[in-house]
Amino acid sequence: MLNHLIYALWAFAAGAVIPVMATFNAQLARSIGSAPAAVLILLLVGFFGAMAYQLSTRTPLPEAATLLSARGYLYTGGLMVVFYMISVTLLIPKFGVGNTILFVVCAQMCSSALIDHWGLFGVPVRPISWLRLIGLLVILAGLVLVQLGAAKDAR
């Protein structure tokens, strides 16, 4: 039970820094005048951070043969990170932090539910129950309400 709480708080913290990171990167892009360069810098800093973590855990790197034996599509996560970072870096100044992250989170919840429901990509099957479906609909209703509220405030 304690581990579950620790994991939940850790996941919450990881989620909480996403809009901060995205906002910082959008500001960096504006400051240096280049969104692609800001994303590249963010990824370079992340690379060195990951290297420091790798070294501090003293976990050996996999051998080249092991890396080459993994299915190629498993490496596309890096491209997905780049797509996400470029997207939020460009969207935040135009669409706002709240709107951008709200749509990101809603899409994450819906796609996660579908991945679980069909057991895509080798994850255990976890069918969408009626209760979970209602929860997703509440999230989507929240998205609509936030957008309606923002439209009303803009007038």
Side-chain angles (χ1 to χ4, degrees), residues 104-116:
V104 166
V105 169
C106 285
Q108 286 175 338
M109 295 303 297
C110 292
S111 64
S112 297
L114 294 174
I115 291 168
D116 280 349

Side-chain angles (χ1 to χ4, degrees), residues 12-75:
F12 189 86
V17 299
I18 290 174
V20 176
M21 172 200 56
T23 302
F24 284 4
N25 215 51
Q27 290 176 11
L28 179 62
R30 188 171 38 251
S31 176
I32 65 175
S34 172
V39 171
L40 181 61
I41 290 165
L42 174 120
L43 293 170
L44 282 171
V45 171
F47 172 78
F48 288 114
M51 285 275 285
Y53 176 71
Q54 174 74 26
L55 292 171
S56 72
T57 62
R58 300 174 189 234
T59 307
L61 290 170
E63 294 185 15
T66 303
L67 291 172
L68 293 172
S69 69
R71 293 186 172 144
Y73 75 88
L74 297 175
Y75 292 101

Side-chain angles (χ1 to χ4, degrees), residues 40-142:
L40 181 61
I41 290 165
L42 174 120
L43 293 170
L44 282 171
V45 171
F47 172 78
F48 288 114
M51 285 275 285
Y53 176 71
Q54 174 74 26
L55 292 171
S56 72
T57 62
R58 300 174 189 234
T59 307
L61 290 170
E63 294 185 15
T66 303
L67 291 172
L68 293 172
S69 69
R71 293 186 172 144
Y73 75 88
L74 297 175
Y75 292 101
T76 63
L79 297 175
M80 293 175 203
V81 168
V82 170
F83 171 71
Y84 170 77
M85 287 312 309
I86 289 171
S87 298
V88 297
T89 299
L90 294 172
L91 285 170
I92 283 176
K94 298 171 181 10
F95 198 44
V97 177
N99 281 336
T100 301
I101 298 302
L102 180 63
F103 277 85
V104 166
V105 169
C106 285
Q108 286 175 338
M109 295 303 297
C110 292
S111 64
S112 297
L114 294 174
I115 291 168
D116 280 349
H117 182 75
W118 283 299
L120 301 176
F121 314 117
V123 303
V125 172
R126 189 169 165 235
I128 298 175
S129 65
W130 281 107
L131 195 56
R132 193 168 183 201
L133 180 60
I134 291 168
L136 290 170
L137 292 174
V138 167
I139 290 169
L140 292 173

